[in-house]
Amino acid sequence: MQGGAAVSEVIRVEKNRNYTVMSNYHLADRRLSLKAIGLLSKILSLPDEWDYTIAGLTTICCEGKAAIATAIQELEAAGYIVRRQLRTKDGAFGGNEYIVHEEPIEKDA
């Protein structure tokens, strides 16, 4: 170090396989915590048929259900995730449907 200034080095890998292309929008969104940014990045890297439930996401994350749930709530509040409760034919709770957006959507006022 010269003059007390820290030196940084970024080592990049060749991106010709096993990488994800996603918008930078959520990465620059200052409203989001690192936890929410990380979870959305993880979700966007998964295939469409993945189990996007809290239980499914905890199988691939080191955080527990409560941490995943709060990150999802944060992403919902910011407009990146829309959750819709599904019902069975007899009106019973049938699970949740999650719609994930790379950029936040405006909520209906």
Side-chain angles (χ1 to χ4, degrees):
M1 286 196 289
Q2 287 186 345
V7 177
S8 297
E9 181 178 358
V10 176
I11 300 172
R12 300 194 186 270
V13 298
E14 187 176 331
K15 297 175 187 80
N16 57 8
R17 62 184 164 90
N18 198 28
Y19 67 98
T20 300
V21 177
M22 69 180 75
S23 170
N24 286 330
Y25 199 94
H26 70 287
L27 300 173
D29 191 334
R30 296 178 57 91
R31 300 173 302 156
L32 298 179
S33 68
L34 284 174
K35 179 171 65 172
I37 290 169
L39 182 62
L40 184 55
S41 297
K42 176 76 89 173
I43 288 170
L44 292 172
S45 76
L46 296 170
D48 291 343
E49 63 276 359
W50 184 262
D51 177 7
Y52 291 98
T53 63
I54 292 172
L57 291 169
T58 58
T59 65
I60 58 169
C61 298
C62 67
E63 286 76 18
K65 289 180 180 181
I68 299 294
T70 58
I72 288 174
Q73 289 169 354
E74 183 180 344
L75 291 166
E76 280 183 278
Y80 288 92
I81 292 180
V82 176
R83 180 177 17 183
R84 191 177 80 176
Q85 289 188 349
L86 302 176
R87 299 284 177 191
T88 63
K89 288 183 181 182
D90 63 356
F93 177 68
N96 287 308
E97 174 183 63
Y98 294 94
I99 301 168
V100 180
H101 299 272
E102 286 192 65
E103 293 187 18
I105 60 163
E106 295 290 326
K107 296 191 178 186
D108 294 334

